[in-house]
Amino acid sequence: MTWERETDDEFEDELGDDALDEDRENAAPAVTVEIAGLSLYTRHGVHAAERELGQRLVFDVSFELAECDATVTDRIEDTINYGEVCEQVALAAQERSYKTLERLCTAVADRLIGRFGAESVRVKAAKPEPPIPLPVDEVSVEVWKEA
């Protein structure tokens, strides 16, 4: 015996066009929150001087929310406070020192998942003035993580 998946056309025939249209209208839209260019003074890096003197890092963060009632209610309290997101990134980036941007980005991602219930998070950290002896605009690392 073999199982075959119904095609969308067969499924549509069974339910009727009206039922599918209603399901699509009632489905909650996906919400992605993005913050770009959050500039923070931090103390991360492989070299001791980077950790002692510190340097500026620029963060780009985006995350997906499974549920966001503000899509229906239009109420501020039913969505994410963007200022609080920035504060959480700053706390994660400034409360301790990491040697690698990979670990730093993962710490930020973990914090955002835990704090805001994000389904997935993307965190990019860039060093605009990396300590390397060649002309480079920036170096960056991006981590993507699912909850």
Side-chain angles (χ1 to χ4, degrees):
M1 173 182 229
T2 61
W3 293 92
E4 292 183 16
R5 186 174 174 264
E6 291 180 335
T7 65
D8 288 342
D9 291 340
E10 291 169 344
F11 184 70
E12 218 171 271
D13 288 342
E14 287 179 23
L15 290 179
D17 291 339
D18 292 338
L20 282 177
D21 287 342
E22 187 176 321
D23 285 346
R24 287 183 189 123
E25 287 176 16
N26 291 335
V31 172
T32 301
V33 174
E34 293 186 36
I35 304 217
L38 176 60
S39 181
L40 300 171
Y41 194 79
T42 66
R43 298 181 184 279
H44 303 284
V46 173
H47 305 291
E50 290 180 284
R51 291 189 306 275
E52 289 172 23
L53 298 173
Q55 64 193 306
R56 184 172 64 93
L57 294 182
V58 180
F59 291 86
D60 295 334
V61 176
S62 69
F63 55 95
E64 293 185 21
L65 301 173
E67 295 179 20
C68 181
D69 292 341
T71 61
V72 176
T73 66
D74 195 31
R75 293 174 3 150
I76 301 263
E77 55 272 10
D78 290 337
T79 190
I80 298 299
N81 179 323
Y82 313 132
E84 190 175 337
V85 172
C86 292
E87 288 173 12
Q88 292 302 315
V89 173
L91 284 172
Q94 294 172 335
E95 68 186 1
R96 68 169 288 192
S97 180
Y98 298 103
K99 291 181 181 174
T100 66
L101 292 178
E102 290 82 352
R103 181 64 193 113
L104 170 61
C105 289
T106 301
V108 171
D110 289 341
R111 182 177 289 252
L112 295 177
I113 287 170
R115 179 74 177 191
F116 300 107
E119 286 192 338
S120 65
V121 176
R122 181 186 59 82
V123 177
K124 177 182 172 184
K127 286 186 181 183
E129 299 155 2
I132 58 177
L134 296 169
V136 175
D137 288 338
E138 73 175 26
V139 296
S140 66
V141 168
E142 184 173 321
V143 169
W144 181 79
K145 188 171 182 177
E146 287 186 335

